[in-house]
Amino acid sequence: MLSCSFLLPYIHVIAAIYSCYCFMQQAQILLLFQHEARIRYEKFIQSFLARRRRIARRYRRKRYVNNNWTDVEWSANFRMGRATFKNLCNMLRPWLTRQNTKYRQAVPVELRIGICLWRLATNLEYRSISHLFGVGLSTCCLITQEVVTAINIILKPKYIRQPTAPEMKVIVQGFRDKWRFPQVAGAIDGTHIKIRAPTDDPASYYNRKGDYSIILQAVVDHRMRFWDINVGHAGKIHDARVFALSSLYQRGINGTLLPDWTETFEGVDVPLVLLGDSAYPLLPWLMKPYPEGAGVTPEQINFNFKLSQSRMTVERAFGRLKGRWRCLLKVCDAHITFVSQIVSACCVLHNFVEVHHEDYLNEETEAEEEIEAVPEGRGGDNQQQSDIRNAFVYT
């Protein structure tokens, strides 16, 4: 029998050869796996890039405002003509311009404003607007918020402000010429903007019509242009309470709201006044109709008729506002913290298109709201304000 010591050198050699063989097999398997993984990764990258190219081609075809529309189609879609739209873009361009990067091109200003106007004019959901304009869903939402903010910051101080003395003279003369009502600086009223029920204290926003809403209080001139707005109070609050909480009321009480211009009728010095319905208090600078019923004179009925005719200016302004920007006519599904900014931006755009003499294509108007009477006399001498109203009767 051979000794085991004779096989020891060969056993070590065989073990070394086997170890090398196993290592080479493992290395070959690893290289094969890496090669397959690299092939799969390259195919994935090629597929991803091809998909991105298809999306880019599709969006490149759609990411622009259609310049082939006629003037009527342009006004119907954006609520303003082509020249007015370009003017709006130029005014907001410094705020809305974004820089291009090596990863993507910035959305043009014209497209940004077009997206926002489409949203405000139709209240269409963001998903549909993103497909129409070829932008992402979140991008579409962000663009709308940015444009609304830009309108409120840049355009609101210019288009919604207290009239200057020359402008106030034009307003007073406008009411006198159109409705034979002297010493009128504007008409005031409130309207409800429907919203989704907020999560915090929804009962405060539930109004008498059975909807959840916030209130827009506005003062308009004889051309249906807003020169003061107050928006954001819960829909459950009465119009008189909204008026009492507004800065307009505080300026009126302090004597800084209207110029101190008086005109004498029937021996009474009549100041400039605002016209409101019976929901508002009777003040020396705010006229309301006489309560109708037993004891009302024909002169007082005629006064109520003239006041109603003049005050319908604010109702027509609300009708045009909601007819143009139909996000206010429908339930506004934006968050409660952003609804007030949307309403304010719509009022600014209303004045903007009215200043540029854009035609109002929608002939529908908003119905007049029901009136809730409140006790007369808030914040003034009853005899003084009654004398002023009686003097108007014989003008």
Side-chain angles (χ1 to χ4, degrees), residues 275-294:
L275 302 181
D277 57 24
S278 60
Y280 289 94
L282 180 64
L283 300 170
W285 49 273
L286 176 58
M287 289 294 103
K288 60 183 291 184
Y290 286 94
E292 297 188 1

Side-chain angles (χ1 to χ4, degrees), residues 180-195:
R180 297 179 291 109
F181 209 119
Q183 293 293 92
V184 177
I188 183 173
D189 201 3
T191 185
H192 289 265
I193 308 299
K194 298 179 182 179
I195 62 173

Side-chain angles (χ1 to χ4, degrees), residues 156-201:
K156 185 177 179 180
K158 180 178 180 181
Y159 286 96
I160 299 182
R161 55 179 176 79
Q162 189 165 338
T164 61
E167 293 171 343
M168 187 63 74
K169 290 182 180 180
V170 174
I171 295 173
V172 174
Q173 190 62 38
F175 277 99
R176 187 190 301 266
D177 294 340
K178 286 188 175 183
W179 297 285
R180 297 179 291 109
F181 209 119
Q183 293 293 92
V184 177
I188 183 173
D189 201 3
T191 185
H192 289 265
I193 308 299
K194 298 179 182 179
I195 62 173
R196 293 185 303 176
T199 55
D200 297 333
D201 194 18

Side-chain angles (χ1 to χ4, degrees), residues 54 115 200 395:
R54 289 195 302 270
I115 290 172
D200 297 333
T395 58

Side-chain angles (χ1 to χ4, degrees), residues 116-127:
C116 180
L117 294 183
W118 201 288
R119 168 68 176 176
L120 298 180
T122 63
N123 204 34
L124 191 65
E125 60 181 6
Y126 286 117
R127 186 178 302 278

